[in-house]
Structures are given as structure tokens and as C-alpha cells.
Amino acid sequence: MLLGVIADDFTGASDIANTISKGLLGQGGLRTAQFLGIPEENAPADIEAGVVSLKSRSIPAEQAIEQSLAALSWLLAQGCRQIVFKYCSTFDSTLEGNIGPVGEALAAALGVKGVVACPAFPGAGRTVYMGHLFVKDRLLNESGLQNHPLNPMTDPDIRRWLAQQAKDTVGLVAHERVRQGADVVRQILQEASTNGQTLVIVDAISDEDLVTIGTAANDHRLVTGGSGIAIGLPANFIRMGLATGNVGVPAGTEGPEAILAGSCSGATREQVGIHAQNHPTLAIDVDSVMSGETTSEILVDFLSKHRGAAPLVYSSGTPDEVGVVQSRYGRQAVADRLDALFAETAIKLVSSGVRRLVVAGGETSGAVVSALDLGALTIGPEIDPGVPVLLSHGEQPIALALKSGNFGAPDFFTKALERLSGR
């Protein structure tokens, strides 16, 4: 294995696995597998890039560090020459962590400083300029992410945000220096290392900038960022003759389908609304979940009755609705109960024969795939930017789409089910 990734949630893991598998246009990427948690066995010999999916974004920083270092140990044992710490392209984290603490812990374990920190993903509208993170034409704190139920992002200056999490001072490579080329970026990162700066925010407003950053970091043991940071990394291994360039293969399976949506993002709420116009949908009442009235049996019964019609169950709500529920029961209590409900539902769906499963929301996806315990997943074609088809192995493979809340076109759900069937 050449490239190892430690992802702090499952949808983000799929996102960066997709990026690495595609690589640059015309050059191809790396043969990539996504692992659900830290594997107990070695990776298949033909895998060039392995993505370890953790559910560490919103847990205490000490636990996130412990899990990330364990993932690092496994990846190094597979022979990885470079490690990527992947976090959300909207920098989802509280002031207490986990991006800074995990990034510095990995850097310390690898004995490096001057490490790239770049969440930019221009293909999904995430750009970084002068250390400020934009979501399309809005600053991060004006994009709706300030209302995130678990990790509200209230400051677009991610250099300042990261500095409150990190022990060392945080550096910056401004966009004008990125535009001067990979050699300039490499020099500034080396200066940052000499000055004792572990993490360095690097501006990027285009894919070309990300390729420049990837080229500058070709010999770095550690890189951190969103999935976009990996755009230029496969080409480094191809240029060195260590990989030939993966062209990708079709992936999918036929069979009964279901859609589970646990994200409260604006994009997911719009997608649910559009899907509901022509397909059966069931809204989950959180009060009834907390009281025990709504159970996984009820959700499975609804989804089973409507097989073949792309049925969907969802717990998405507006920021005001979410706030009311959280104030009543507690933020973490609500999240834990909904995660458990979706996980139990997914297990029963697969046991009953469902073979195509679409899941929206990072926390929801993490709960579902952890419960299913599918092992390594093959990375298939891209459905929408950042969301590939995932296919499990075995006699009865499961085709999955794990969608981050803000990702996907308005018609994502119906399109995803088509792609999961191999069409």
C-alpha cells in the first residue's frame, strides 16, 4: 500500500476514496479500498490506497487521538509511504477539537512539522482564501453550518479556529504564494517546520491549486485536509513509477432498495422534499423516538411495503426544529437515539434482502455501516461529486451510497439508486 488515509467519518472516507480512485483526468488514480474501522487483517496485496473510516469527528479529543493513532499504526504496517488525515471540507469541529489535536498527534508520531492543512474542495463549493473558508459564495459562518447540530461553525477564519485547538502556532500559505507554484509552497512549508509550526493552513480556490499543493507535498509523510487535498497525490506515485494509474471499474448490484436520511443540512432537506413528490416517504417524529413509540420495526415495515418505489425515511428538520428537540432531551441523547434507530433499521433491512442502501448524513452513515460490519468496500463510479458507489464483497454484495449532508444534486436519491444497480 502506498497511500493511507485516516478519515474522521464514514461519508468523508467515501468522498476521499472516490477522489484517490479517480486521480487526475487522463492519468487515473490508485486502486483504492475503504475499510470500515481499523481492520484486524492485512489489506489485499493489490490495494494501493487504503482509507480507514473512523467515527471520531464528534467524540472527545482523547478518544479521537487514540483511534487515529491505532489507524496510523495499521496503515504503516501495510507499507504506506504517505498518510492523509481527512476531515470535513467545512472543517466541522468544536473549539475543543478534534482536528488540531489529532493532526498534531499524528505529526508527532511521524516526527514531522510544516504539515499542510487544507479543507478546500472547489468541486463542492468549498474554497479557502487568506485562511478563510467559503461555502460557495458565503463565508462558513453564514452558510448554514453555524447551525450544525453537533459541530456549529461560527468562525470562517480556520487559522484562528485551529489555533484554539492546537498546541503549536498555526501557519498560513496565502493564495498568491500558492499561485507561484509547488516549489514556493514547499519552501514556505519547510520554513514553517523550522519555526516549529506543526499545522499550516494552505489557501486553495481551484483544483489547480490543489494539484500544486499535492505536488509540493510529494515527499511529506503527513498531509491533512478535505477530500480535495488528495486530487494531486496519486500522480506523485505514478510519476515515481510506483503505480500505473487505476482506470476504475463498474460496480453495483440489483435488488431491493431503501433510503435513510439523518442529515439536517439544507441540501438534504431539499433532496428529501424533491424525492417526496414522486416517492413514498416517512418522516420520523423525534419525540416518538425518544419515548420508544417509533421503533426500527415500524421503519422497516414502511420501507418493505414500498419496495420497488424508492422509499425513504428521514429525521431531517430545520435548525429551529432541531434546536427545540435538543433543548428538550439534550443534543447527545437525541443523536445517540437516532443513530441507534437507523443502525437497527439497516441491520433488519439487509437481513430481509435489501441490497441497495442510500444513507444521508455523516453521523447516520457511521452508525449504519458500523452496525452492518461489511468489511472492505470497493470504490465504484461517482454518483455526484464526492459520493461514489461502494460495493461490499461476498456472495450477496451490498451496494451503498454514503452522502455527506451538504453533498449531492437535488435529484440525488433517485440517481443514487440507479447507480447502485450498476446502471
Side-chain angles (χ1 to χ4, degrees), residues 206-283:
S206 67
D207 286 352
E208 289 75 16
D209 292 335
L210 293 172
V211 172
T212 297
I213 297 167
T215 303
N218 69 318
D219 60 349
H220 284 209
R221 295 293 309 282
L222 177 65
V223 177
T224 83
S227 65
I229 198 63
I231 285 177
L233 299 182
N236 293 332
F237 296 105
I238 294 171
R239 280 194 295 269
M240 290 187 287
L242 299 173
T244 58
N246 173 49
V247 296
V249 295
T253 188
E254 293 285 357
E257 78 293 353
I259 305 169
L260 306 176
S263 168
C264 296
S265 72
T268 296
R269 296 201 310 273
E270 179 187 11
Q271 291 157 351
V272 168
I274 290 174
H275 194 79
Q277 295 174 8
N278 299 297
H279 305 280
T281 60
L282 175 66

Side-chain angles (χ1 to χ4, degrees), residues 48-298:
E48 297 169 323
V51 181
V52 175
S53 316
L54 302 178
K55 196 172 184 289
S56 60
R57 178 171 300 171
S58 302
I59 64 176
E62 294 79 9
Q63 295 178 25
I65 291 171
E66 181 181 1
Q67 292 181 20
S68 300
L69 290 176
L72 173 66
S73 178
W74 184 81
L75 289 167
L76 293 178
Q78 309 311 304
C80 290
R81 297 173 177 235
Q82 186 172 59
I83 301 296
V84 179
F85 169 38
K86 194 278 176 194
Y87 39 80
C88 188
S89 60
T90 49
F91 218 68
D92 293 8
S93 61
T94 64
L95 289 178
E96 291 73 33
N98 290 343
I99 295 174
V102 171
E104 287 187 328
L106 293 172
L110 292 168
V112 296
K113 289 186 179 292
V115 176
V116 169
C118 181
F121 186 9
R126 279 70 162 158
T127 56
V128 181
Y129 183 74
M130 296 305 293
H132 286 65
L133 182 54
F134 289 80
V135 178
K136 297 182 179 178
D137 63 343
R138 298 287 182 180
L139 284 165
L140 178 65
N141 63 319
E142 300 173 354
S143 67
L145 270 298
Q146 70 272 26
N147 299 315
H148 192 287
L150 294 178
N151 300 303
M153 299 305 297
T154 56
D155 189 349
D157 187 337
I158 56 174
R159 184 186 186 189
R160 181 167 57 206
W161 192 269
L162 186 57
Q164 296 183 74
Q165 301 177 351
K167 295 178 181 178
D168 296 336
T169 58
V170 178
L172 174 69
V173 182
H175 186 253
E176 63 176 339
R177 306 306 300 276
V178 175
R179 293 297 298 272
Q180 292 173 11
D183 289 341
V184 172
V185 174
R186 187 180 296 112
Q187 177 184 349
I188 298 174
L189 292 173
Q190 180 56 51
E191 292 171 355
S193 175
T194 302
N195 294 332
Q197 295 175 333
T198 298
L199 300 173
V200 183
I201 301 295
V202 185
D203 284 353
I205 64 173
S206 67
D207 286 352
E208 289 75 16
D209 292 335
L210 293 172
V211 172
T212 297
I213 297 167
T215 303
N218 69 318
D219 60 349
H220 284 209
R221 295 293 309 282
L222 177 65
V223 177
T224 83
S227 65
I229 198 63
I231 285 177
L233 299 182
N236 293 332
F237 296 105
I238 294 171
R239 280 194 295 269
M240 290 187 287
L242 299 173
T244 58
N246 173 49
V247 296
V249 295
T253 188
E254 293 285 357
E257 78 293 353
I259 305 169
L260 306 176
S263 168
C264 296
S265 72
T268 296
R269 296 201 310 273
E270 179 187 11
Q271 291 157 351
V272 168
I274 290 174
H275 194 79
Q277 295 174 8
N278 299 297
H279 305 280
T281 60
L282 175 66
I284 298 172
D285 179 71
V286 179
D287 285 314
S288 68
V289 174
M290 300 304 290
S291 69
E293 182 179 351
T294 293
T295 64
S296 58
E297 287 81 6
I298 292 175

